[in-house]
Amino acid sequence: MANPLYDRLFDAHTGKVTPFLHLQDGRVITHHEFLSTGAQIANAAFKIGLKPGDRVAVQVQKSPEALALYAACARAGLVFLPLNTAYTTDELSYFIENSGASLVVCDGKSEAALTPVAGNFNARIETMNADGSGSLMEQAKAMPVDFDTIDRDGDDLAALLYTSGTTGRSKGAMLTQNNLLSNAEALAKEWRFSSDDVLLHALPIFHTHGLFVATNVTLVAGGSLIFMPKFDLDEIIARMPEATSMMGVPTFYTRLLGDDRFTKELAAHIRLFVSGSAPLLAETHIQFEERTGHRILERYGMTETNMNTSNPFDGERRAGTVGFPLPGVEIKITNPDSGETLPDGEVGQIEVRGPNVFKGYWRMPEKTADELRENGFFITGDLGKIDEDGYVHIVGRNKDLIISGGYNIYPKEIELILDEQPGILESAVIGVPHPDFGETVIGVVVAENGHSPDLEGMMEAVRRSLARFKHPRRLVVLDELPRNTMGKVQKNILRDQYREMFVSEGT
Ligand code: MCA
Ligand code: AMP
């Protein structure tokens, strides 16, 4: 037996004193040091009483220790459940309950608020702060730097990542060791990653992009990361000359283009810029090439599937497309009503099958059956077409989803809160174009007869429940919502009506 994910991503670097993490303060952590910390955390987790298969819910700032916790989970057969640092206690409560997590690791600042929540669901709580201090590392530091790696099958769960849904309830996507490993290997090969690569890492490590794409690809190739706590334009510009590659959401690239210090010379050492998580405007792609001579490589993925398609490393990186299916991945375009495959060139729903596709939603067999067909094809909810040269184009969404700065926001979650407010009859939450975030959220509300809505009170209710990035940037009051003859709210009409609201604004 073995542990495919740990063996390939981490254990392959045992004993290497080559740099793995270059930190902002100039410190360098070698592969060996990183793996030793991971082993200590794995020992501490078992001492606490965790067993293989247990879920570990993690809401901590980005730090080398946080990444070592991911390595520890892979090694100890624990299921890593990373959570956005912006989530509120209400949101976390749901994830802890639904996942049945045995351990919650949080920042020391959230400990007081989360202790009762963890207690309600019989989870233990430990802390990990941005500087690596906290109760978990205190225990880990007293532990041996060796750990007998737990045997795992490729089909065993490695991670549980929550993704919101159109009904407003989040679902835990079950990702196996093979899902993650097959994708990391395919991407590293397609994008020609090697041990010489130094990746500028400014993405958060609680989502697929920063954790499984940027980190796993670098690990599988034996390269290193310039590991930044967050996207900070000055820091990115300062460190870019040391890097060979960068991955980001489109906002990263539009922010760079907005700064005159970002020049061809600054980007000269980089061999590859990758964009994903949200559509990259063709205009950004073109401007980027004019400024730097680089063509950004755009790829397409999802939490449930890791990466599905990529523009070619060699060959034409076509603006406005997401390239070709990755090796081993099949894509088909189907009629959303009948499920029948459509000919190339026609627009339909994108379905995907391959070793990257998740195992299903945690403890939600009906939701899994709705989206994952018995023949293995996953219905992505994205609308697209395949052109005559085989490039996949995403042309829209068959799901009510807003993507702001690379974060997904499901309107239903916000509408449920707005609808509950006193004097509100109904609401519709929509995404409108935004120069910095790509799209941003606005809420359209209709008051009950005779009421004048308390907009500040409504925003306060949203703030209490939901992460900041989900908050509507504006609330608009209408007498009624536009509806079609079937009575369905026509969000497209609202989107058209308000599409100019933010176009000339900065951030
Ligand atoms: C921060 N804020 C946001 C966002 N980020 N609001 C809306 N959308 C956002 N994405 C809030 C802040 O809390 C702040 O609130 C205000 O907006 C302005 O913050 P600012 O300082 O400008 O933002 P920032 O801290 O610089 O963050 C922007 C960011 C960040 C760098 C674009 O959001 C980011 O790193 N995004 C990456 C997301 C990502 O990794 N997505 C991958 C998901 P206040 O008004 O209170 O100050 S994985 C995925 O989608 C699939 C699998 C895939 O294909 O990759
Ligand atoms: P998530 O559920 O956070 O994993 O987000 C997945 C969604 O992000 C996909 O279903 C797409 O709608 C969107 N997405 C990811 N990459 C791209 C891209 N390159 N272009 C357009 N949309 C994308």
Side-chain angles (χ1 to χ4, degrees):
M1 278 288 272
N3 180 324
L5 186 72
Y6 187 80
D7 293 349
R8 188 72 185 83
L9 256 50
F10 302 99
D11 198 49
H13 309 305
T14 297
K16 285 190 199 161
V17 289
T18 41
F20 172 44
L21 300 177
H22 309 264
L23 305 184
Q24 210 146 299
D25 61 8
R27 267 192 308 145
V28 173
I29 295 176
T30 64
H31 285 100
H32 177 72
E33 287 165 334
F34 177 75
L35 295 178
S36 302
T37 306
Q40 289 181 308
I41 299 176
N43 279 310
F46 274 17
K47 182 121 191 266
I48 286 169
L50 296 191
K51 300 175 303 305
D54 284 349
R55 276 78 58 211
V56 180
V58 180
Q59 191 198 36
V60 299
Q61 298 294 326
K62 187 174 172 185
S63 70
E65 291 77 10
L67 201 60
L69 176 54
Y70 163 55
C73 287
R75 190 165 195 181
L78 300 167
V79 180
F80 189 63
L81 194 178
L83 293 159
N84 194 321
T85 46
Y87 288 149
T88 62
T89 310
D90 273 8
E91 289 168 308
L92 290 171
S93 176
Y94 171 79
F95 298 127
I96 296 168
E97 177 178 16
N98 185 267
S99 66
S102 306
L103 174 65
V104 175
V105 184
C106 68
D107 193 281
K109 292 192 196 93
S110 328
E111 189 183 8
L114 285 180
T115 299
V117 177
N120 280 345
F121 306 118
N122 297 319
R124 189 179 165 118
I125 195 157
E126 299 289 347
T127 59
M128 181 183 269
N129 303 318
D131 63 0
S133 63
S135 64
L136 186 63
M137 288 312 295
E138 261 164 44
Q139 296 169 72
K141 280 188 181 136
M143 293 287 151
V145 293
D146 281 329
F147 178 86
D148 282 337
T149 304
I150 297 295
D151 284 339
R152 291 278 96 179
D153 188 79
D155 202 35
D156 282 332
L157 283 198
L160 196 55
L161 260 62
Y162 276 83
T163 138
S164 307
T166 40
T167 58
R169 275 190 80 203
S170 288
K171 303 162 285 183
M174 297 190 283
L175 294 155
T176 66
Q177 288 221 337
N178 273 350
N179 292 151
L180 304 183
L181 185 55
S182 65
N183 213 235
E185 287 181 327
L187 295 174
K189 191 159 176 238
E190 286 297 298
W191 297 343
R192 314 280 193 274
F193 267 74
S194 76
S195 55
D196 293 333
D197 266 297
V198 183
L199 182 119
L200 203 48
H201 194 300
L203 287 159
I205 54 168
F206 44 69
H207 280 316
T208 299
H209 198 164
L211 187 63
F212 301 142
V213 188
T215 309
N216 286 358
V217 165
T218 305
L219 277 164
V220 91
S224 64
L225 303 171
I226 298 179
F227 201 61
M228 306 185 149
K230 66 184 286 272
F231 182 90
D232 175 323
L233 198 51
D234 293 340
E235 289 292 337
I236 301 264
I237 286 172
R239 302 299 293 264
M240 190 169 285
E242 296 161 50
T244 63
S245 45
M246 174 171 168
M247 294 185 193
V249 296
T251 302
F252 285 20
Y253 296 114
T254 49
R255 287 187 181 181
L256 276 168
L257 284 171
D259 195 302
D260 290 340
R261 293 171 297 173
F262 182 58
T263 58
K264 188 170 185 158
E265 294 67 41
L266 193 85
H269 193 242
I270 301 259
R271 62 169 194 89
L272 180 64
F273 289 97
V274 177
S275 176
S277 307
L280 183 77
L281 295 178
E283 162 196 323
T284 310
H285 189 99
I286 292 160
Q287 274 179 23
F288 202 90
E289 186 175 12
E290 282 168 3
R291 178 88 68 91
T292 64
H294 283 282
R295 291 178 75 87
I296 299 177
L297 183 153
E298 186 171 8
R299 72 2 171 231
Y300 158 59
M302 285 186 78
T303 301
E304 289 91 333
T305 64
N306 284 279
M307 298 304 103
N308 299 315
T309 71
S310 169
N311 267 283
F313 185 86
D314 298 317
E316 190 194 347
R317 297 178 195 166
R318 204 171 272 183
T321 81
V322 291
F324 307 111
L326 289 167
V329 176
E330 296 166 77
I331 294 270
K332 62 178 183 178
I333 308 292
T334 62
N335 177 318
D337 300 320
S338 66
E340 272 166 40
T341 303
L342 295 170
D344 281 359
E346 283 190 29
V347 172
Q349 65 186 2
I350 302 178
E351 296 192 26
V352 55
R353 177 165 74 180
N356 54 321
V357 174
F358 76 143
K359 211 174 169 170
Y361 294 113
W362 176 255
R363 293 180 179 163
M364 290 186 185
E366 325 75 48
K367 296 254 182 240
T368 303
D370 285 348
E371 292 175 41
L372 190 55
R373 296 185 192 278
E374 270 177 22
N375 64 9
F377 272 97
F378 175 65
I379 304 166
T380 61
D382 291 311
L383 296 174
K385 65 171 186 182
I386 301 177
D387 71 19
E388 64 280 11
D389 299 322
Y391 285 82
V392 176
H393 298 237
I394 299 178
V395 299
R397 297 175 199 141
N398 204 15
K399 51 190 172 190
D400 195 12
L401 164 71
I402 300 167
I403 306 183
S404 167
Y407 286 142
N408 285 12
I409 300 161
Y410 278 87
K412 190 79 191 168
E413 210 180 356
I414 306 158
E415 288 163 359
L416 288 173
I417 296 177
L418 296 179
D419 291 348
E420 267 175 13
Q421 301 313 305
I424 292 302
L425 184 64
E426 58 177 352
S427 65
V429 167
I430 55 168
V432 293
H434 188 274
D436 186 35
F437 290 137
E439 279 183 288
T440 199
V441 181
I442 68 170
V444 182
V445 295
V446 176
E448 274 170 4
N449 254 344
H451 282 81
S452 51
D454 168 14
L455 297 184
E456 187 38 43
M458 294 178 86
M459 281 309 298
E460 191 43 46
V462 172
R463 280 194 280 272
R464 269 197 305 277
S465 299
L466 300 179
R468 169 74 183 113
F469 68 87
K470 300 177 187 172
H471 299 176
R473 297 290 153 138
R474 296 275 161 82
L475 287 179
V476 179
V477 186
L478 287 188
D479 291 338
E480 59 180 5
L481 297 177
R483 291 182 187 277
N484 65 15
T485 47
M486 310 290 287
K488 195 171 176 303
V489 176
Q490 290 171 300
K491 287 195 170 178
N492 53 329
I493 294 184
L494 293 173
R495 279 192 285 264
D496 283 345
Q497 194 170 342
Y498 298 111
R499 63 178 312 110
E500 303 286 328
M501 202 172 224
F502 295 93
V503 280
S504 57
E505 279 188 22
T507 50

